[in-house]
């Protein structure tokens, strides 16, 4: 049985396999630091592109939402429509975005990624996947499995609907 030394402010718990592990006093800070590291790995894979991160984000958003118009994009980005429109102007000028009339309502203009944009996003996703895999390859397989299970559990918990009454009680006890 492995035993972790207790850190100030932390506590030990059983990991379910008979091992005692240290839980950081501030788990949220540890997760935030890990998320920042992951973002750095993903960003390093994207750094080869000449497309700024904000424009890449726009392309990712509209590629998954075929019904997006400038107002919808502005809402997704939490910006004013004129800012979203200027972003679209720049993407259109570089050949990564087209504005097309909605066939159901010709007054509506939809934002559509071009084939070049879709190729760019596919290549970016592949590079990001390789960058993450390179880090995972440096981890023991058991840790990779534990990470996967933890991330799946985190994802499920993050998307669960919390009844309003429970949320109110949590706020009152905090």
């Amino acid at each position: 049985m492995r035993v972790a030394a207790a850190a100030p402010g932390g506590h030990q718990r059983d990991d379910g396999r008979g091992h005692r592990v240290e839980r950081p006093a501030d788990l949220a800070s540890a997760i935030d630091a890990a998320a920042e590291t992951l973002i750095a790995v993903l960003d390093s894979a994207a750094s080869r592109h000449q497309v700024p991160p904000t424009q890449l984000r726009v392309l990712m958003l509209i590629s998954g939402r075929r019904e997006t118009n400038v107002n919808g994009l502005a809402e997704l980005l939490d910006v004013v429509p004129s800012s979203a429109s200027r972003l679209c102007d720049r993407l259109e000028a570089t050949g990564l975005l087209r504005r097309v009339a909605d066939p159901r309502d010709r007054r509506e203009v939809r934002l559509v990624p071009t084939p070049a944009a879709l190729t760019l996003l596919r290549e970016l996703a592949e590079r990001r996947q390789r960058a993450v895999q390179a880090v995972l390859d440096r981890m023991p397989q058991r840790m990779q499995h534990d990470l996967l299970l933890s991330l799946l559990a985190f994802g499920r918990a993050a998307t669960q609907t919390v009844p309003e009454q429970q949320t109110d009680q949590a706020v009152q006890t905090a």
Side-chain angles (χ1 to χ4, degrees):
M1 180 188 307
R2 292 181 302 192
V3 177
H11 66 278
Q12 291 184 4
R13 64 175 178 77
D14 189 295
D15 69 356
R17 295 178 304 213
H19 299 110
R20 302 293 294 170
V21 294
E22 179 63 26
R23 179 175 176 200
D26 192 351
L27 184 58
S29 290
I31 291 171
D32 187 53
E36 287 294 324
T37 301
L38 177 59
I39 290 168
V41 169
L42 296 174
D43 285 348
S44 71
S47 66
R48 294 184 192 169
H49 288 295
Q50 302 302 317
V51 180
T54 304
Q55 291 180 25
L56 282 173
R57 182 165 181 242
V58 167
L59 292 174
M60 285 186 234
L61 288 170
I62 65 170
S63 70
R65 296 171 178 86
R66 295 291 178 183
E67 301 293 313
T68 305
N69 60 19
V70 172
N71 288 332
L73 177 63
E75 286 178 26
L76 291 169
L77 296 172
D78 195 26
V79 298
V80 295
S82 60
S83 294
S85 184
R86 283 191 299 276
L87 271 168
C88 292
D89 291 343
R90 289 190 286 277
L91 285 164
E92 197 169 26
T94 60
L96 296 172
L97 177 87
R98 287 185 308 123
R99 290 180 168 115
V100 297
D102 186 329
R104 294 171 295 175
D105 182 354
R106 308 258 328 142
R107 294 171 296 172
E108 277 292 318
V109 176
R110 300 289 176 208
L111 305 173
V112 179
T114 64
L118 296 175
T119 298
L120 174 83
L121 291 174
R122 187 178 60 254
E123 290 172 354
L124 176 60
E126 290 168 359
R127 273 200 300 288
R128 284 179 162 183
Q129 210 166 21
R130 284 193 303 270
V132 170
Q133 188 62 54
V135 174
L136 289 171
D137 289 345
R138 294 191 297 265
M139 293 173 60
Q141 199 153 24
R142 179 67 192 170
M143 297 292 286
Q144 291 178 32
H145 179 74
D146 290 348
L147 175 62
L148 173 61
L149 293 178
S150 297
L151 290 172
L152 290 171
F154 186 88
R156 281 191 304 273
T159 57
Q160 280 181 337
T161 305
V162 178
E164 196 171 311
Q165 183 180 7
Q166 287 180 351
T167 305
D168 291 342
Q169 289 173 354
V171 170
Q172 291 172 359
T173 60

